[in-house]
Amino acid sequence: MKLATLPEGGPDGTLAVVADDLTLALPVREIAPTLQHALDAWDEVAPALEAAAVSVTAGRAAEAFPFEPGLA
C-alpha cells in the first residue's frame, strides 16, 4: 500500500492511496482525512485503506485521478 499527502484540505493536506504503479491516486478523506489521523488510528483504518489501495491499483476506483508524484 502506498500513501501520499495531497496539498489540499488544510495545513496537513489530504490523505490519498496511490496505485502500485504510481499512475493513479484516490483521496480517502472518509477513511482518514490526514496521514497523522491514519497513523493514530492505524488498527481501525488499515483494512479500509488496504481495500482502497487494491481498488485504485485495479483501476476500479471511480474517483481516482492521475497521480503526479512531484505534487504530493
Side-chain angles (χ1 to χ4, degrees):
M1 170 176 24
K2 296 179 185 338
L3 301 173
T5 298
L6 304 175
E8 60 187 45
D12 292 331
T14 297
L15 184 63
V17 293
V18 180
D20 288 343
D21 64 3
L22 302 178
T23 59
L24 296 171
L26 175 68
V28 289
R29 293 175 203 87
E30 68 284 351
I31 299 170
T34 65
L35 180 56
Q36 186 61 56
H37 182 273
L39 294 173
D40 291 344
W42 188 255
D43 290 339
E44 297 168 26
V45 302
L49 289 173
E50 184 62 38
V54 168
S55 179
V56 74
T57 294
R60 295 188 309 254
E63 295 86 24
F65 61 90
F67 181 60
E68 296 181 42
L71 298 178

